[in-house]
Amino acid sequence: MPHSLFIADLHLCEEEPAITAGFLAFLKRDARQAEALYILGDLFEAWIGDDDPAPLHAEIAAELRTLTRSGTPCYFIHGNRDFLVGKRFAQSCGMTLLPEEKRLELYGKRILIMHGDTLCTDDKGYQRFRHRVHQPWLQTLFLALPLFIRKHIAARMRAGSKQANSSKDMTIMDVNADAVKQAMSRHHVRCLIHGHTHRPAVHPLTINGESAERLVLGAWHTQGSMIRVSENETVLIFFPF
Ligand code: LP5
Ligand code: MN
């Protein structure tokens, strides 16, 4: 049955080889059989520029290139950890960068996809932080810094984020119900797929009096998580690495 796959929040890094191995197996097994693969952000734990020579990045690019050359197109939406993934890296993977909100028409269904961080509007501290680091001039300045300084800044930000999160209420870090409804109404969809919150679930909703659903992808900590969309189903799946 023709289908497309969606994943997010793998947080790939050198320190977690089991997750990388799980992703590479997923690319060879599941993704090959899909009509398209959509990566909805936070593929990497942290991205500080396409010029970072980390061997992990080259390995992932080579495997994604193999997938895209074999005939499965791959699309990428930035996450809050890898919003600096650029055209150069995307090109080396053969994948297409999408805007932060994208409406798809798949198998007769309209589906909105995004990373999910923009829906967390109650997290004012994060939204302020996001607004700052998304300023093009600041990104250009950051990318012009030597790699070791960028690594240092990224580590400081990660530490700052961990500290801030430890004192934040759990509900603040989830999506805001009105933000969800507004985004879905804006794009005229009854299905939304996103990641970011690491709270995998299928939430039934009512949007403008019509039944709708929000599917949340899981993070790849100890198992993989994907959503498969075909003509017959839209389903959240977990699988071992
Ligand atoms: O990522 P996670 O799961 O910990 O929490 C997120 C939000 N945090 C972030 C920050 C990222 O983790 C940092 C990633 C950096 C990698 C790329 C570097 C590129 C730099 C480019 C500069 C132009 O996204 C967190 C949310 C949580 O999700 C749930 O939604 O709450 O938000 C925060 O924690 C934001 C805080 O409220 C404030 C941020 C403190 C940052 C401290 C900055 C220190 C800067 C030092 C510079 C020298
Ligand atoms: Mn995220």
PDB file of all heavy atoms in Angstrom, residues 153-184:
ATOM      1  N   ILE A 153      29.316  28.121  22.627  1.00  0.00           N
ATOM      2  CA  ILE A 153      28.036  28.837  22.779  1.00  0.00           C
ATOM      3  C   ILE A 153      26.875  27.843  22.816  1.00  0.00           C
ATOM      4  O   ILE A 153      25.968  27.946  23.652  1.00  0.00           O
ATOM      5  CB  ILE A 153      27.848  29.881  21.650  1.00  0.00           C
ATOM      6  CG1 ILE A 153      28.885  30.997  21.808  1.00  0.00           C
ATOM      7  CG2 ILE A 153      26.429  30.448  21.644  1.00  0.00           C
ATOM      8  CD1 ILE A 153      28.897  32.016  20.671  1.00  0.00           C
ATOM      9  N   ALA A 154      26.930  26.855  21.901  1.00  0.00           N
ATOM     10  CA  ALA A 154      25.847  25.852  21.852  1.00  0.00           C
ATOM     11  C   ALA A 154      25.777  25.084  23.172  1.00  0.00           C
ATOM     12  O   ALA A 154      24.684  24.833  23.693  1.00  0.00           O
ATOM     13  CB  ALA A 154      26.063  24.895  20.686  1.00  0.00           C
ATOM     14  N   ALA A 155      26.941  24.740  23.728  1.00  0.00           N
ATOM     15  CA  ALA A 155      26.961  24.012  25.009  1.00  0.00           C
ATOM     16  C   ALA A 155      26.380  24.884  26.121  1.00  0.00           C
ATOM     17  O   ALA A 155      25.625  24.394  26.973  1.00  0.00           O
ATOM     18  CB  ALA A 155      28.390  23.580  25.344  1.00  0.00           C
ATOM     19  N   ARG A 156      26.702  26.176  26.092  1.00  0.00           N
ATOM     20  CA  ARG A 156      26.153  27.104  27.091  1.00  0.00           C
ATOM     21  C   ARG A 156      24.629  27.183  26.961  1.00  0.00           C
ATOM     22  O   ARG A 156      23.893  27.217  27.956  1.00  0.00           O
ATOM     23  CB  ARG A 156      26.755  28.501  26.911  1.00  0.00           C
ATOM     24  CG  ARG A 156      28.198  28.628  27.372  1.00  0.00           C
ATOM     25  CD  ARG A 156      28.298  28.938  28.865  1.00  0.00           C
ATOM     26  NE  ARG A 156      27.696  30.228  29.212  1.00  0.00           N
ATOM     27  CZ  ARG A 156      28.307  31.398  29.139  1.00  0.00           C
ATOM     28  NH1 ARG A 156      29.560  31.453  28.724  1.00  0.00           N
ATOM     29  NH2 ARG A 156      27.703  32.507  29.470  1.00  0.00           N
ATOM     30  N   MET A 157      24.167  27.217  25.722  1.00  0.00           N
ATOM     31  CA  MET A 157      22.712  27.288  25.496  1.00  0.00           C
ATOM     32  C   MET A 157      22.022  26.008  25.968  1.00  0.00           C
ATOM     33  O   MET A 157      20.954  26.068  26.571  1.00  0.00           O
ATOM     34  CB  MET A 157      22.413  27.493  24.005  1.00  0.00           C
ATOM     35  CG  MET A 157      22.702  28.891  23.553  1.00  0.00           C
ATOM     36  SD  MET A 157      22.311  29.067  21.811  1.00  0.00           S
ATOM     37  CE  MET A 157      22.541  30.834  21.623  1.00  0.00           C
ATOM     38  N   ARG A 158      22.625  24.870  25.675  1.00  0.00           N
ATOM     39  CA  ARG A 158      22.041  23.593  26.110  1.00  0.00           C
ATOM     40  C   ARG A 158      21.972  23.556  27.641  1.00  0.00           C
ATOM     41  O   ARG A 158      20.966  23.139  28.207  1.00  0.00           O
ATOM     42  CB  ARG A 158      22.859  22.401  25.577  1.00  0.00           C
ATOM     43  CG  ARG A 158      22.770  22.181  24.090  1.00  0.00           C
ATOM     44  CD  ARG A 158      21.403  21.654  23.648  1.00  0.00           C
ATOM     45  NE  ARG A 158      21.027  20.498  24.420  1.00  0.00           N
ATOM     46  CZ  ARG A 158      19.962  20.443  25.219  1.00  0.00           C
ATOM     47  NH1 ARG A 158      19.162  21.475  25.346  1.00  0.00           N
ATOM     48  NH2 ARG A 158      19.687  19.351  25.879  1.00  0.00           N
ATOM     49  N   ALA A 159      23.039  24.004  28.291  1.00  0.00           N
ATOM     50  CA  ALA A 159      23.054  23.996  29.759  1.00  0.00           C
ATOM     51  C   ALA A 159      21.988  24.949  30.296  1.00  0.00           C
ATOM     52  O   ALA A 159      21.248  24.616  31.236  1.00  0.00           O
ATOM     53  CB  ALA A 159      24.443  24.371  30.265  1.00  0.00           C
ATOM     54  N   GLY A 160      21.881  26.129  29.653  1.00  0.00           N
ATOM     55  CA  GLY A 160      20.880  27.125  30.067  1.00  0.00           C
ATOM     56  C   GLY A 160      19.478  26.575  29.895  1.00  0.00           C
ATOM     57  O   GLY A 160      18.598  26.778  30.739  1.00  0.00           O
ATOM     58  N   SER A 161      19.275  25.849  28.802  1.00  0.00           N
ATOM     59  CA  SER A 161      17.958  25.279  28.512  1.00  0.00           C
ATOM     60  C   SER A 161      17.595  24.213  29.540  1.00  0.00           C
ATOM     61  O   SER A 161      16.471  24.190  30.048  1.00  0.00           O
ATOM     62  CB  SER A 161      17.977  24.672  27.101  1.00  0.00           C
ATOM     63  OG  SER A 161      16.723  24.155  26.776  1.00  0.00           O
ATOM     64  N   LYS A 162      18.571  23.347  29.862  1.00  0.00           N
ATOM     65  CA  LYS A 162      18.307  22.285  30.847  1.00  0.00           C
ATOM     66  C   LYS A 162      17.936  22.895  32.193  1.00  0.00           C
ATOM     67  O   LYS A 162      17.009  22.445  32.870  1.00  0.00           O
ATOM     68  CB  LYS A 162      19.548  21.397  31.013  1.00  0.00           C
ATOM     69  CG  LYS A 162      19.625  20.311  29.954  1.00  0.00           C
ATOM     70  CD  LYS A 162      20.812  19.406  30.184  1.00  0.00           C
ATOM     71  CE  LYS A 162      21.086  18.575  28.947  1.00  0.00           C
ATOM     72  NZ  LYS A 162      22.447  18.087  28.843  1.00  0.00           N
ATOM     73  N   GLN A 163      18.678  23.924  32.556  1.00  0.00           N
ATOM     74  CA  GLN A 163      18.411  24.562  33.843  1.00  0.00           C
ATOM     75  C   GLN A 163      17.019  25.215  33.850  1.00  0.00           C
ATOM     76  O   GLN A 163      16.255  25.054  34.805  1.00  0.00           O
ATOM     77  CB  GLN A 163      19.493  25.608  34.120  1.00  0.00           C
ATOM     78  CG  GLN A 163      19.586  25.920  35.591  1.00  0.00           C
ATOM     79  CD  GLN A 163      20.628  26.991  35.853  1.00  0.00           C
ATOM     80  OE1 GLN A 163      21.212  27.566  34.929  1.00  0.00           O
ATOM     81  NE2 GLN A 163      20.878  27.265  37.113  1.00  0.00           N
ATOM     82  N   ALA A 164      16.712  25.917  32.746  1.00  0.00           N
ATOM     83  CA  ALA A 164      15.404  26.593  32.660  1.00  0.00           C
ATOM     84  C   ALA A 164      14.280  25.556  32.698  1.00  0.00           C
ATOM     85  O   ALA A 164      13.270  25.740  33.377  1.00  0.00           O
ATOM     86  CB  ALA A 164      15.329  27.418  31.380  1.00  0.00           C
ATOM     87  N   ASN A 165      14.467  24.437  31.998  1.00  0.00           N
ATOM     88  CA  ASN A 165      13.412  23.418  31.923  1.00  0.00           C
ATOM     89  C   ASN A 165      13.134  22.765  33.271  1.00  0.00           C
ATOM     90  O   ASN A 165      11.991  22.401  33.560  1.00  0.00           O
ATOM     91  CB  ASN A 165      13.785  22.316  30.928  1.00  0.00           C
ATOM     92  CG  ASN A 165      13.694  22.802  29.496  1.00  0.00           C
ATOM     93  OD1 ASN A 165      13.412  23.965  29.272  1.00  0.00           O
ATOM     94  ND2 ASN A 165      13.937  21.937  28.549  1.00  0.00           N
ATOM     95  N   SER A 166      14.177  22.630  34.081  1.00  0.00           N
ATOM     96  CA  SER A 166      13.999  21.928  35.352  1.00  0.00           C
ATOM     97  C   SER A 166      13.068  22.687  36.290  1.00  0.00           C
ATOM     98  O   SER A 166      12.461  22.093  37.176  1.00  0.00           O
ATOM     99  CB  SER A 166      15.359  21.670  36.011  1.00  0.00           C
ATOM    100  OG  SER A 166      15.942  22.900  36.356  1.00  0.00           O
ATOM    101  N   SER A 167      12.933  23.994  36.067  1.00  0.00           N
ATOM    102  CA  SER A 167      12.039  24.743  36.956  1.00  0.00           C
ATOM    103  C   SER A 167      10.730  25.137  36.260  1.00  0.00           C
ATOM    104  O   SER A 167       9.908  25.851  36.833  1.00  0.00           O
ATOM    105  CB  SER A 167      12.756  25.990  37.483  1.00  0.00           C
ATOM    106  OG  SER A 167      13.163  26.791  36.408  1.00  0.00           O
ATOM    107  N   LYS A 168      10.542  24.686  35.011  1.00  0.00           N
ATOM    108  CA  LYS A 168       9.305  25.031  34.300  1.00  0.00           C
ATOM    109  C   LYS A 168       8.224  23.991  34.582  1.00  0.00           C
ATOM    110  O   LYS A 168       8.510  22.803  34.651  1.00  0.00           O
ATOM    111  CB  LYS A 168       9.547  25.051  32.783  1.00  0.00           C
ATOM    112  CG  LYS A 168      10.043  26.376  32.261  1.00  0.00           C
ATOM    113  CD  LYS A 168      10.166  26.340  30.748  1.00  0.00           C
ATOM    114  CE  LYS A 168      11.237  27.326  30.302  1.00  0.00           C
ATOM    115  NZ  LYS A 168      11.584  27.184  28.886  1.00  0.00           N
ATOM    116  N   ASP A 169       6.992  24.459  34.665  1.00  0.00           N
ATOM    117  CA  ASP A 169       5.866  23.548  34.835  1.00  0.00           C
ATOM    118  C   ASP A 169       5.700  22.717  33.556  1.00  0.00           C
ATOM    119  O   ASP A 169       5.862  23.229  32.456  1.00  0.00           O
ATOM    120  CB  ASP A 169       4.607  24.406  35.071  1.00  0.00           C
ATOM    121  CG  ASP A 169       3.444  23.582  35.543  1.00  0.00           C
ATOM    122  OD1 ASP A 169       2.821  22.896  34.710  1.00  0.00           O
ATOM    123  OD2 ASP A 169       3.174  23.618  36.747  1.00  0.00           O
ATOM    124  N   MET A 170       5.349  21.430  33.725  1.00  0.00           N
ATOM    125  CA  MET A 170       5.214  20.535  32.571  1.00  0.00           C
ATOM    126  C   MET A 170       4.165  21.027  31.561  1.00  0.00           C
ATOM    127  O   MET A 170       4.320  20.853  30.360  1.00  0.00           O
ATOM    128  CB  MET A 170       4.840  19.110  33.033  1.00  0.00           C
ATOM    129  CG  MET A 170       5.997  18.320  33.599  1.00  0.00           C
ATOM    130  SD  MET A 170       7.335  18.117  32.400  1.00  0.00           S
ATOM    131  CE  MET A 170       6.720  16.695  31.491  1.00  0.00           C
ATOM    132  N   THR A 171       3.086  21.649  32.084  1.00  0.00           N
ATOM    133  CA  THR A 171       2.023  22.065  31.157  1.00  0.00           C
ATOM    134  C   THR A 171       2.477  23.251  30.295  1.00  0.00           C
ATOM    135  O   THR A 171       2.036  23.396  29.157  1.00  0.00           O
ATOM    136  CB  THR A 171       0.739  22.472  31.920  1.00  0.00           C
ATOM    137  OG1 THR A 171       1.103  23.482  32.873  1.00  0.00           O
ATOM    138  CG2 THR A 171       0.127  21.300  32.638  1.00  0.00           C
ATOM    139  N   ILE A 172       3.377  24.058  30.825  1.00  0.00           N
ATOM    140  CA  ILE A 172       3.892  25.196  30.055  1.00  0.00           C
ATOM    141  C   ILE A 172       4.653  24.699  28.822  1.00  0.00           C
ATOM    142  O   ILE A 172       4.636  25.326  27.765  1.00  0.00           O
ATOM    143  CB  ILE A 172       4.812  26.059  30.954  1.00  0.00           C
ATOM    144  CG1 ILE A 172       3.940  26.912  31.872  1.00  0.00           C
ATOM    145  CG2 ILE A 172       5.744  26.940  30.144  1.00  0.00           C
ATOM    146  CD1 ILE A 172       4.711  27.778  32.815  1.00  0.00           C
ATOM    147  N   MET A 173       5.307  23.531  28.984  1.00  0.00           N
ATOM    148  CA  MET A 173       6.131  23.017  27.889  1.00  0.00           C
ATOM    149  C   MET A 173       5.337  22.167  26.891  1.00  0.00           C
ATOM    150  O   MET A 173       5.911  21.580  25.991  1.00  0.00           O
ATOM    151  CB  MET A 173       7.325  22.251  28.454  1.00  0.00           C
ATOM    152  CG  MET A 173       8.331  23.188  29.123  1.00  0.00           C
ATOM    153  SD  MET A 173       9.888  22.422  29.459  1.00  0.00           S
ATOM    154  CE  MET A 173       9.483  21.476  30.921  1.00  0.00           C
ATOM    155  N   ASP A 174       4.016  22.104  27.080  1.00  0.00           N
ATOM    156  CA  ASP A 174       3.200  21.395  26.084  1.00  0.00           C
ATOM    157  C   ASP A 174       2.586  22.440  25.134  1.00  0.00           C
ATOM    158  O   ASP A 174       2.709  23.648  25.363  1.00  0.00           O
ATOM    159  CB  ASP A 174       2.104  20.574  26.782  1.00  0.00           C
ATOM    160  CG  ASP A 174       1.589  19.439  25.902  1.00  0.00           C
ATOM    161  OD1 ASP A 174       1.978  19.389  24.703  1.00  0.00           O
ATOM    162  OD2 ASP A 174       0.808  18.614  26.393  1.00  0.00           O
ATOM    163  N   VAL A 175       1.909  21.959  24.113  1.00  0.00           N
ATOM    164  CA  VAL A 175       1.303  22.891  23.160  1.00  0.00           C
ATOM    165  C   VAL A 175       0.133  23.621  23.806  1.00  0.00           C
ATOM    166  O   VAL A 175      -0.485  23.122  24.741  1.00  0.00           O
ATOM    167  CB  VAL A 175       0.805  22.160  21.886  1.00  0.00           C
ATOM    168  CG1 VAL A 175       1.956  21.479  21.171  1.00  0.00           C
ATOM    169  CG2 VAL A 175      -0.303  21.158  22.214  1.00  0.00           C
ATOM    170  N   ASN A 176      -0.166  24.801  23.281  1.00  0.00           N
ATOM    171  CA  ASN A 176      -1.314  25.575  23.731  1.00  0.00           C
ATOM    172  C   ASN A 176      -2.496  25.219  22.817  1.00  0.00           C
ATOM    173  O   ASN A 176      -2.357  25.243  21.590  1.00  0.00           O
ATOM    174  CB  ASN A 176      -0.962  27.070  23.634  1.00  0.00           C
ATOM    175  CG  ASN A 176      -2.142  27.966  23.887  1.00  0.00           C
ATOM    176  OD1 ASN A 176      -3.042  28.078  23.055  1.00  0.00           O
ATOM    177  ND2 ASN A 176      -2.152  28.600  25.043  1.00  0.00           N
ATOM    178  N   ALA A 177      -3.627  24.887  23.423  1.00  0.00           N
ATOM    179  CA  ALA A 177      -4.773  24.389  22.645  1.00  0.00           C
ATOM    180  C   ALA A 177      -5.255  25.407  21.602  1.00  0.00           C
ATOM    181  O   ALA A 177      -5.614  25.042  20.482  1.00  0.00           O
ATOM    182  CB  ALA A 177      -5.912  24.021  23.597  1.00  0.00           C
ATOM    183  N   ASP A 178      -5.226  26.699  21.966  1.00  0.00           N
ATOM    184  CA  ASP A 178      -5.677  27.718  21.008  1.00  0.00           C
ATOM    185  C   ASP A 178      -4.698  27.851  19.845  1.00  0.00           C
ATOM    186  O   ASP A 178      -5.109  28.055  18.701  1.00  0.00           O
ATOM    187  CB  ASP A 178      -5.830  29.081  21.705  1.00  0.00           C
ATOM    188  CG  ASP A 178      -7.047  29.098  22.610  1.00  0.00           C
ATOM    189  OD1 ASP A 178      -7.983  28.321  22.327  1.00  0.00           O
ATOM    190  OD2 ASP A 178      -7.041  29.854  23.589  1.00  0.00           O
ATOM    191  N   ALA A 179      -3.401  27.735  20.166  1.00  0.00           N
ATOM    192  CA  ALA A 179      -2.394  27.826  19.093  1.00  0.00           C
ATOM    193  C   ALA A 179      -2.598  26.684  18.090  1.00  0.00           C
ATOM    194  O   ALA A 179      -2.450  26.875  16.880  1.00  0.00           O
ATOM    195  CB  ALA A 179      -0.986  27.786  19.689  1.00  0.00           C
ATOM    196  N   VAL A 180      -2.950  25.503  18.598  1.00  0.00           N
ATOM    197  CA  VAL A 180      -3.210  24.352  17.724  1.00  0.00           C
ATOM    198  C   VAL A 180      -4.408  24.652  16.818  1.00  0.00           C
ATOM    199  O   VAL A 180      -4.346  24.498  15.594  1.00  0.00           O
ATOM    200  CB  VAL A 180      -3.487  23.077  18.555  1.00  0.00           C
ATOM    201  CG1 VAL A 180      -4.032  21.960  17.690  1.00  0.00           C
ATOM    202  CG2 VAL A 180      -2.213  22.625  19.276  1.00  0.00           C
ATOM    203  N   LYS A 181      -5.486  25.123  17.431  1.00  0.00           N
ATOM    204  CA  LYS A 181      -6.706  25.393  16.659  1.00  0.00           C
ATOM    205  C   LYS A 181      -6.468  26.487  15.616  1.00  0.00           C
ATOM    206  O   LYS A 181      -6.927  26.393  14.480  1.00  0.00           O
ATOM    207  CB  LYS A 181      -7.855  25.796  17.589  1.00  0.00           C
ATOM    208  CG  LYS A 181      -8.370  24.588  18.348  1.00  0.00           C
ATOM    209  CD  LYS A 181      -9.684  24.828  19.055  1.00  0.00           C
ATOM    210  CE  LYS A 181     -10.106  23.516  19.729  1.00  0.00           C
ATOM    211  NZ  LYS A 181     -11.305  23.599  20.501  1.00  0.00           N
ATOM    212  N   GLN A 182      -5.739  27.519  16.027  1.00  0.00           N
ATOM    213  CA  GLN A 182      -5.469  28.616  15.077  1.00  0.00           C
ATOM    214  C   GLN A 182      -4.661  28.122  13.883  1.00  0.00           C
ATOM    215  O   GLN A 182      -4.966  28.443  12.732  1.00  0.00           O
ATOM    216  CB  GLN A 182      -4.704  29.743  15.775  1.00  0.00           C
ATOM    217  CG  GLN A 182      -5.616  30.660  16.568  1.00  0.00           C
ATOM    218  CD  GLN A 182      -4.846  31.542  17.542  1.00  0.00           C
ATOM    219  OE1 GLN A 182      -3.643  31.783  17.348  1.00  0.00           O
ATOM    220  NE2 GLN A 182      -5.496  31.992  18.584  1.00  0.00           N
ATOM    221  N   ALA A 183      -3.621  27.328  14.164  1.00  0.00           N
ATOM    222  CA  ALA A 183      -2.764  26.837  13.065  1.00  0.00           C
ATOM    223  C   ALA A 183      -3.571  25.948  12.121  1.00  0.00           C
ATOM    224  O   ALA A 183      -3.470  26.068  10.895  1.00  0.00           O
ATOM    225  CB  ALA A 183      -1.570  26.069  13.636  1.00  0.00           C
ATOM    226  N   MET A 184      -4.409  25.091  12.694  1.00  0.00           N
ATOM    227  CA  MET A 184      -5.182  24.170  11.853  1.00  0.00           C
ATOM    228  C   MET A 184      -6.245  24.922  11.047  1.00  0.00           C
ATOM    229  O   MET A 184      -6.484  24.604   9.885  1.00  0.00           O
ATOM    230  CB  MET A 184      -5.796  23.055  12.709  1.00  0.00           C
ATOM    231  CG  MET A 184      -4.721  22.143  13.295  1.00  0.00           C
ATOM    232  SD  MET A 184      -5.354  20.816  14.337  1.00  0.00           S
ATOM    233  CE  MET A 184      -5.919  19.630  13.124  1.00  0.00           C
TER     234      MET A 184
END
